Amino acid sequence: MKLGIIFGSSSTEHEVSVVSASAVIKNLNKKKYDIYPIYIDKNNEWFEVLDDPKDQKIYKIGELPTNIKAINNVFKYLKSMDCVFPVMHGAYGEDGAIQGLLKMLDVPCVGCSILTSSVCMDKVYTKKILKSAGILVAPDIYIEHDGTDFFYIPDDYNIKKVTVIDIDKLVKENFGYPVYVKPSNSGSSIGVSKASNKDELNVALYEARKYDRKILIEKAINAREIECAALCDLVSLPGEILSATEFYSFDSKYINSKSKTVIPASVNNEVIEEIRNIAKRAFKAIDGNGLSRIDFFVEKKTNKIYLNEINTMPGFTEISMYPKMIENMGINYSELLDKLIEEAIK
Ligand SMILES: Nc1ncnc2c1ncn2[C@@H]1O[C@H](COP(=O)(O)OP(=O)(O)O)[C@@H](O)[C@H]1O
Ligand SMILES: [Mg+2]
């Protein structure tokens, strides 16, 4: 089988995608698959990677493939594949665009559909769908900007132009500080910050707006971060993130080796079963197929469970939470890849 592995792209998570893809290529069964690594650089130029997949090394954050050759006719190249596995994180890849391209070319593609991936890439829309399924999410204020002004977008879309002073008032009226401010479309904590007063809110809003037109301001939940893996119709036992820093930033995700994961999470059985039940319902609500990592906040004082976000292409290194939670179900990394490919071509 000719299997294309697409990674990179102009997403802010370019480097993470390169690392994830190197682990996928390394662990694929070389007897089963003829592997064609396809690298999209930050200018969205497409390249074949000429290194032999049998000698694939695991990249470190920041290392990029160098032994590459431009692909002249991308459509023709993709069309010659029996299946493609996009290992892309963030906008320009995890947002359904790559599935759209492959669908038009009639090439089977690993993972979620266009709809599911685009909905899950956009936290504003993910939350609207989850709420309609009765799933608890952190209370938020939804703001947009046009490069000059901010706009408050309430549920009824009676949109109002607002200043940071107005937004500060909205925060105090709705849930108070501290809050998390985040781009609606992002990942790997890029553009996410915590704010405890109006000045920090101001800084956080300007940081988030670098990455997206849409911004969410959420009540900070004082919580444990617990995640669950969905694979086809299976839902794993949850795992817990023990972040090296107060919030699970880019640095604590990929650089600070003090961050730890615990699988299964040490929470009581009732909480475990409730998390798995919510994960199952959420995966259905977003019409999920293939895979997703579903991330929760479990409030420390109350054990209340909030769904934070759904990643349709979660981090995929050998030590990433998603493959680890699947491994805990007795399915090793290579078998996981086989299952995902089987599902894509069936
Ligand atoms: N409402 C919140 N309450 C508490 N912590 C939060 C909240 N929102 C985000 N965080 C912290 O910020 C991190 C990144 O935010 P998240 O929404 O998961 O964005 P990303 O898609 O970049 O992972 C989370 O893992 C968590 O540590
Ligand atoms: Mg997250």
Side-chain angles (χ1 to χ4, degrees):
M1 178 196 286
K2 280 184 84 171
L3 178 69
I5 311 293
I6 306 185
F7 60 101
S9 96
S10 61
S11 153
T12 51
E13 291 174 274
H14 184 97
E15 284 76 9
V16 183
S17 160
V18 171
V19 176
S20 286
S22 70
V24 168
I25 295 165
K26 183 170 178 245
N27 284 283
L28 278 164
N29 182 343
K30 310 294 184 298
K31 289 197 191 103
K32 262 186 163 163
Y33 312 107
D34 222 349
I35 301 162
Y36 292 79
I38 302 167
Y39 172 58
I40 308 177
D41 77 2
K42 287 183 184 172
N43 300 314
N44 285 323
E45 303 284 350
W46 295 58
F47 297 88
E48 286 176 73
V49 180
L50 303 173
D51 299 326
D52 189 339
K54 289 196 191 87
D55 307 325
Q56 181 68 48
K57 63 162 186 168
I58 300 292
Y59 282 101
K60 288 196 190 75
I61 279 283
E63 272 185 286
L64 303 176
T66 49
N67 190 11
I68 56 177
K69 181 175 152 237
I71 300 176
N72 289 325
N73 187 332
V74 172
F75 279 8
K76 204 170 146 201
Y77 194 85
L78 292 177
K79 193 87 188 122
S80 72
M81 299 293 150
D82 297 313
C83 182
V84 165
F85 191 156
V87 188
M88 319 211 356
H89 306 305
Y92 297 99
E94 199 181 343
D95 59 354
I98 189 72
Q99 289 94 321
L101 176 60
L102 293 163
K103 190 169 184 187
M104 292 304 287
L105 295 171
D106 203 19
V107 177
C109 170
V110 169
C112 286
S113 68
I114 302 171
L115 176 83
T116 305
S117 287
S118 52
V119 163
C120 291
M121 190 63 231
D122 189 315
K123 293 184 166 78
V124 167
Y125 281 93
T126 316
K127 291 180 80 172
K128 282 186 191 291
I129 288 172
L130 294 174
K131 273 193 243 177
S132 73
I135 292 169
L136 185 65
V137 293
D140 65 58
I141 295 164
Y142 169 22
I143 301 289
E144 286 190 6
H145 73 94
D146 63 2
T148 313
D149 296 308
F150 288 110
F151 300 88
Y152 170 48
I153 321 280
D155 283 342
D156 65 3
Y157 286 86
N158 272 309
I159 298 171
K160 259 198 290 201
K161 188 166 127 180
V162 285
T163 62
V164 175
I165 296 170
D166 300 324
I167 302 174
D168 169 63
K169 261 194 214 137
L170 281 168
V171 167
K172 286 173 181 153
E173 282 162 20
N174 281 277
F175 35 76
Y177 291 101
V179 294
Y180 275 85
V181 181
K182 51 176 109 168
S184 181
N185 289 275
S186 188
S188 289
S189 302
I190 294 164
V192 181
S193 25
K194 191 177 183 185
S196 298
N197 54 51
K198 186 170 98 233
D199 290 342
E200 288 176 11
L201 177 70
N202 185 55
V203 175
L205 283 166
Y206 279 87
E207 177 61 18
R209 80 182 231 173
K210 288 188 207 159
Y211 301 97
D212 197 9
R213 178 173 59 84
K214 300 175 182 172
I215 302 168
L216 274 174
I217 302 172
E218 284 183 352
K219 179 182 178 191
I221 312 293
N222 184 7
R224 295 166 68 175
E225 294 197 49
I226 294 189
E227 309 183 337
C228 207
L231 171 64
C232 305
D233 46 12
L234 303 170
V235 170
S236 74
L237 284 176
E240 179 166 15
I241 304 283
L242 300 177
S243 175
T245 49
E246 190 206 347
F247 94 90
Y248 201 35
S249 61
F250 186 90
D251 190 70
S252 40
K253 280 180 182 171
Y254 306 111
I255 294 157
N256 192 327
S257 58
K258 283 191 192 123
S259 292
K260 296 256 169 334
T261 54
V262 183
I263 304 168
S266 114
V267 281
N268 71 47
N269 283 340
E270 235 168 80
V271 175
I272 287 182
E273 281 322 307
E274 200 177 338
I275 287 174
R276 296 181 78 197
N277 172 275
I278 300 170
K280 247 182 225 160
R281 285 160 51 216
F283 198 53
K284 258 288 173 241
I286 54 149
D287 200 18
N289 53 307
L291 77 160
S292 282
R293 197 191 71 220
I294 303 166
D295 299 352
F296 295 90
F297 296 132
V298 178
E299 195 168 45
K300 283 181 185 157
K301 270 196 190 145
T302 60
N303 267 355
K304 238 194 213 175
I305 300 163
Y306 294 81
L307 203 158
N308 174 32
E309 62 160 340
I310 301 176
N311 295 281
T312 58
M313 192 58 229
F316 230 91
T317 68
E318 287 148 324
I319 55 161
S320 293
M321 196 64 156
Y322 182 83
K324 282 277 173 208
M325 289 190 288
I326 298 293
E327 197 183 329
N328 187 250
M329 291 199 281
I331 302 169
N332 73 29
Y333 195 109
S334 294
E335 292 164 347
L336 163 63
L337 298 174
D338 287 344
K339 259 192 186 306
L340 288 170
I341 294 161
E342 262 163 43
E343 180 74 10
I345 57 175
K346 91 171 180 208

